[in-house]
Amino acid sequence: MIGKMGATVFVQPLDLVKNRMQLSGQGSKAREYKTSFHAVASILRNEGIGGIYTGLSAGLLRQATYTTTRLGIYTVLFERMSKADGTPPNFFMKALIGMTAGATGAFIGTPAEVALIRMTADGRLPPDQRRGYTNVFNALIRITREEGVTTLWRGYIPTMARAVVVNAAQLASYSQSKQALLDSGYFRDDILCHFCASMISGLVTTAASMPVDIVKTRIQNMRMIDGKPEYRNGLDVLVKVIRKEGFFSLWKGFTPYYARLGPHTVLTFIFLEQMNKFYKIYFLDS
């Protein structure tokens, strides 16, 4: 958990840019940012270097809640599903455990996610329209007081869905990519193959999960207009984004999202492959 929170300090700017890109041009308005690089330059110019780290406290709390829950549940389920002789669960059971743990962790982490989305979005608004949360705890208290405690879990369904999609897409695309690379005859089952397969997996996972992610971002940031929410549900978000902003707007913020998810995918699978190799050498062959 400490490692994940430490990594958050470095990836927080990517989260901020991704969220700003996903909200840019909302409701058929002109896009504030043409590209991710334009977004970074604009944020630095208008909000200063500190603006890049807006919402850091919420990002840290998200990791503390989401990661702790996910790893805890994964560990418990993994041990329960392992056989008495210590044999671990098969691939599909591991995938199911991962998706279950990810979805549960996402639900627990939703309040921090809502705070993060709102805090990172604030700087793009005129001063009189900003929420002005000073930190994540101020955000959680004010959201509860001003909008009700259930608002803390607004968008929990797409948040959980994204966690399931990310876990499923990572595992399936990595397995397929690795097999395709090995079948090509140009790769052996070594770290280069694992690196290339995981880079491909990161791309596929980013592409697969971004439409769900933009739904989550728009719902968690939405305001009430004349007593009615901007969006009725996730499907309404998708329909309005496609109709008013274009089909490919579902992948706004692709670059910072992939920059954040890609290295994580690479490290995850290279570490996993090395652990499997170690297990086979020292346990199965001994």
Side-chain angles (χ1 to χ4, degrees):
M1 183 187 79
I2 300 299
K4 285 282 189 180
M5 291 177 74
T8 298
V9 175
F10 294 97
V11 302
Q12 178 64 24
L14 297 174
D15 258 342
L16 179 111
V17 173
K18 185 265 296 180
N19 292 340
R20 293 283 182 93
M21 290 293 293
Q22 289 181 330
L23 295 167
S24 177
Q26 187 173 10
S28 73
K29 288 185 265 183
R31 290 191 182 187
E32 297 106 309
Y33 311 114
K34 298 182 183 72
T35 65
S36 298
F37 299 106
H38 176 231
V40 172
S42 179
I43 293 165
L44 287 172
R45 185 173 60 251
N46 298 325
E47 302 168 49
I49 190 71
I52 284 288
Y53 280 95
T54 301
L56 178 59
S57 61
L60 292 170
L61 182 62
R62 179 182 64 175
Q63 284 299 340
T65 52
Y66 169 70
T67 304
T68 303
T69 304
R70 180 170 63 91
L71 293 179
I73 290 176
Y74 185 88
T75 302
V76 170
L77 291 178
F78 189 91
E79 290 175 354
R80 290 273 179 91
M81 297 300 173
S82 296
K83 294 179 181 177
D85 61 358
T87 304
N90 61 36
F91 174 82
F92 295 104
M93 185 54 69
K94 285 179 185 175
L96 183 60
I97 291 170
M99 287 187 281
T100 302
T104 308
F107 178 79
I108 299 299
T110 297
E113 191 86 46
V114 171
L116 176 65
I117 294 298
R118 293 185 174 197
M119 291 174 76
T120 54
D122 229 22
R124 58 184 283 275
L125 299 171
D128 60 317
Q129 294 181 26
R130 294 177 185 172
R131 292 179 167 108
Y133 303 135
T134 54
N135 56 61
V136 65
F137 299 108
N138 174 255
L140 297 177
I141 291 167
R142 281 185 50 195
I143 290 169
T144 302
R145 188 170 63 235
E146 296 167 13
E147 302 173 58
V149 70
T150 55
T151 305
L152 294 176
W153 275 272
R154 179 179 287 170
Y156 74 91
I157 292 176
T159 302
M160 294 171 71
R162 184 191 61 174
V164 171
V165 169
V166 166
N167 275 279
Q170 274 184 334
L171 290 165
S173 60
Y174 177 77
S175 180
Q176 285 296 109
S177 300
K178 179 183 171 183
Q179 193 57 53
L181 290 173
L182 291 173
D183 290 345
S184 72
Y186 294 106
F187 290 86
R188 292 178 297 164
D189 191 0
D190 55 16
I191 199 163
L192 176 62
C193 177
H194 305 156
F195 174 80
C196 292
S198 53
M199 287 294 287
I200 296 169
S201 174
L203 274 172
V204 172
T205 303
T206 300
S209 60
M210 280 213 75
V212 185
D213 194 69
I214 197 170
V215 168
K216 178 194 76 65
T217 299
R218 292 287 178 93
I219 286 178
Q220 291 176 336
N221 188 59
M222 72 179 177
R223 294 176 182 270
M224 302 296 285
I225 301 174
D226 297 326
K228 295 180 180 178
E230 287 181 72
Y231 304 105
R232 293 191 301 275
N233 50 49
L235 183 60
D236 188 42
V237 175
L238 292 174
V239 170
K240 286 181 177 176
V241 169
I242 292 170
R243 190 173 67 237
K244 296 179 180 179
E245 303 167 46
F247 178 73
F248 290 104
S249 290
L250 295 175
W251 286 273
K252 281 181 190 173
F254 186 95
T255 303
Y257 192 93
Y258 179 61
R260 185 181 188 281
L261 186 64
H264 176 268
T265 304
V266 170
L267 292 172
T268 297
F269 284 113
I270 286 181
F271 178 74
L272 183 64
E273 290 282 6
Q274 295 308 304
M275 289 296 290
N276 285 339
K277 184 178 178 181
F278 176 84
Y279 178 78
K280 288 175 182 176
I281 292 173
Y282 291 98
F283 291 95
L284 296 185
D285 295 342
S286 58

